Amino acid sequence: MTSRIPRDSRLRLVRPRPLAAAPSAVNERRPRRPAPRPPEGTPAPAELARMARSGLAAAARVARWADNALGPGRDAATADGKATLSESTAERAASDLGLTTDRIRADWDTARLAGLVEVHGDSARPGWRLRAWDRDDSAVLRGWVALFDAWSLASPEPEEQEPAAVAEVVSAMPQVLSFLQLSAGPVPVEQLLDLLRQRVTELRTERCEVPYGAGSEPAAPLAPVPVDADPAEPAQDAELAPLLDWALHALAAVGALTCGGGQATLTPLGSWAVWVKLEQICVAAQSPAGNIEQSAEGMLRGCAQLRPNAARAEYRAWLAARTVGSAVSELLLAARGDDALLRGLAFEALRVVGAPAEPDVRAVVEEPALRPYALLWLAEHDGVDPEDAHEVLTREEATWLWVDTAAAVADHGEAPMLVRHLESALQPTVPALLTEVRAVGHPRTVQVLVALAAAHPDPALAKAVRRAAFQVHTGGS
């Protein structure tokens, strides 16, 4: 038997991105939506970038000091394996920069949240935004937006408050910020507290909804509340008022708003950032897919036939409407399903999330079904060229990923695409590929080989593939 695949070619593993985002028609053209214009009075991007550079000047200063003083071959920044400044390093930075150690630690944390310093495992290094800080306005604005997104981490949570209550306020603040942006001016804090109370009540009501299954009996009704009972609003205000105060001051600390005289006002940067996120949501709602209200799985299925740029726009809009933690958890849950196409798309969406997803991606490295995808994601996140990222995979992991991607093609692609997928195999010959495919134990191996045999035009090769499928099915050798 001979193979039509050249024996002397080193065939590279093709990442699932082109397949996953392949359009249904080559000549498909979607009408372009005119680029939205920010609200009147919004400063130009160059002026916004100047404001962001000014607000992050102290963080950039510490990041540059670390780049010079703690680079490769020099002292490490950490002593505890958590990429936080050790006491000796903080004191050294304070001495060199003429600041207190507390100020150094605060600026270091800000630099990490803004992406000026990147944390990788137990080490930290200068981020790419620091390299482009003086010449790339978009890098500066993206760094500031990253800090804005992490506002709840920029200031310590109130210790006396329950974590669940803090989480509710963090989840409710996007609506408060949207109201501030639409108001385009100072808003009384009392009005914001009323809005926050309404949103938290909605969140609590949603959690308390219990769907009754078929044949189940509803629980006995609660005792009626006396008509003359006092409402719970004063007690809820007493709980939410200090949390709102914390949230507003945390947002002020990152430069998103100003507080004073019982009022809060978005800064130009804050107003622009909220507008960008609202616009992303509107774009998704008006797009042909319109997946913003879908679960992660529904959103990914809706993006399967979009071109790469359009799909990434949908990912950004879907992410903008959710907290980072819940979005990443949803995407990883979808990736654990049986559909290999969704697995590849989920990690494409996680690439849009970027650095905030790193801890969760590292946590799934030991899951066999997600390991190859997670390793590729982490390699790219660490700065490896996407074309070379496959080199971090072992032969077995690369073969497992080939089968998984082939399963996605078999389920959602066309026969010629499955035949072309042979060219992406790491093995130089089809017999070698079949031997290693049978050894990796992918649960879809039989279906993939049967589909490949049915699609391939070479009768001899198709026969060999069918034989391999039968041997896997029967457990033979």
Side-chain angles (χ1 to χ4, degrees):
M1 182 193 75
T2 59
S3 169
R4 292 188 176 185
I5 299 177
R7 291 175 178 267
D8 58 350
S9 63
R10 288 291 293 175
L11 302 174
R12 293 182 300 130
L13 179 69
V14 175
R15 300 171 58 217
R17 179 181 303 175
L19 161 70
S24 56
V26 173
N27 295 322
E28 178 185 3
R29 293 291 184 270
R30 299 187 185 276
R32 287 186 176 273
R33 183 175 182 265
R37 298 179 63 85
E40 186 177 353
T42 301
E47 177 62 16
L48 290 170
R50 186 196 64 78
M51 296 176 184
R53 282 191 181 94
S54 176
L56 292 171
R61 184 185 182 193
V62 169
R64 288 196 176 97
W65 175 87
D67 187 19
N68 294 325
L70 308 174
R74 302 183 180 90
D75 294 338
T78 68
D80 58 4
K82 298 179 181 179
T84 55
L85 284 180
S86 63
E87 190 64 34
S88 59
T89 304
E91 291 175 355
R92 179 181 166 194
S95 175
D96 290 350
L97 299 177
L99 301 171
T100 65
T101 56
D102 288 343
R103 183 71 262 168
I104 290 292
R105 290 187 183 281
D107 293 340
W108 173 263
D109 289 341
T110 299
R112 289 174 60 185
L113 294 175
L116 297 173
V117 173
E118 294 180 355
V119 177
H120 297 275
D122 60 353
S123 64
R125 72 186 186 198
W128 68 268
R129 287 177 185 143
L130 184 65
R131 307 294 186 209
W133 197 248
D134 295 325
R135 56 179 170 79
D136 190 339
D137 288 348
S138 65
V140 175
L141 290 175
R142 288 171 67 181
W144 188 86
V145 170
L147 177 64
F148 170 70
D149 287 340
W151 65 266
S152 61
L153 304 178
S155 298
E157 299 176 1
E159 295 182 358
E160 67 279 4
Q161 297 292 337
E162 290 291 331
V166 175
E168 287 175 339
V169 170
V170 172
S171 299
M173 282 307 292
Q175 185 167 337
V176 175
L177 290 169
S178 299
F179 181 76
L180 276 168
Q181 199 277 333
L182 294 172
S183 299
V187 176
V189 173
E190 286 298 322
Q191 192 172 356
L192 297 179
L193 180 61
D194 183 59
L195 179 61
L196 179 65
R197 181 178 63 245
Q198 294 177 36
R199 181 57 184 150
V200 168
T201 300
E202 291 173 359
L203 292 172
R204 292 176 179 175
T205 301
E206 290 169 3
R207 285 202 307 273
C208 291
E209 289 178 351
V210 180
Y212 295 111
S216 64
E217 294 295 332
L222 298 175
V225 178
V227 176
D228 58 350
D230 292 331
E233 290 184 5
Q236 192 175 17
D237 284 352
E239 176 189 15
L240 293 179
L243 286 173
L244 176 62
D245 183 68
W246 162 74
L248 293 178
H249 282 85
L251 286 160
V254 302
L257 53 78
T258 58
C259 293
Q263 295 181 322
T265 309
L266 286 178
T267 63
L269 270 174
S271 179
W272 167 79
V274 175
W275 171 80
V276 167
K277 293 185 178 298
L278 289 173
E279 183 61 27
Q280 288 174 346
I281 294 172
C282 292
V283 167
Q286 297 172 18
S287 71
N291 296 297
I292 191 168
E293 299 294 338
Q294 298 288 330
S295 65
E297 180 176 340
M299 181 272 294
L300 294 172
R301 291 192 187 282
C303 293
Q305 295 301 319
L306 297 180
R307 295 176 181 274
N309 287 339
R312 283 191 287 273
E314 290 283 329
Y315 301 152
R316 284 192 291 269
W318 187 85
L319 292 166
R322 289 159 178 80
T323 60
V324 172
S326 64
V328 171
S329 297
E330 265 200 76
L331 289 170
L332 289 175
L333 182 62
R336 292 186 179 98
D338 295 330
D339 195 327
L341 177 62
L342 296 191
R343 201 157 19 254
L345 290 174
F347 277 86
E348 287 301 313
L350 289 169
R351 286 180 173 88
V352 175
V353 177
E358 182 185 5
D360 296 273
V361 174
R362 287 194 184 279
V364 303
V365 164
E366 298 308 319
E367 297 183 30
L370 303 186
R371 180 176 175 80
Y373 294 97
L375 290 175
L376 290 176
W377 190 98
L378 291 168
E380 293 180 29
H381 179 64
D382 287 344
V384 177
D385 190 300
E387 293 295 326
D388 301 323
H390 67 281
E391 295 177 2
V392 305
L393 302 180
T394 65
R395 183 92 163 196
E396 183 179 3
E397 291 163 352
T399 303
W400 196 100
L401 182 59
W402 185 91
V403 178
D404 206 50
T405 308
V409 179
D411 291 342
H412 302 280
E414 299 175 351
M417 189 180 296
L418 187 58
V419 174
R420 290 196 301 272
H421 186 58
L422 270 175
E423 301 175 4
S424 68
L426 188 66
Q427 294 75 11
T429 66
V430 171
L433 171 64
L434 294 178
T435 298
E436 296 187 32
V437 162
R438 288 159 52 187
V440 296
H442 192 290
R444 295 291 305 279
T445 299
V446 173
Q447 294 93 325
V448 165
L449 293 178
V450 169
L452 181 59
H456 207 284
D458 186 334
L461 189 148
K463 181 179 179 180
V465 174
R466 277 194 299 272
R467 184 185 302 117
F470 179 77
Q471 291 170 343
V472 174
H473 175 65
T474 60
S477 59

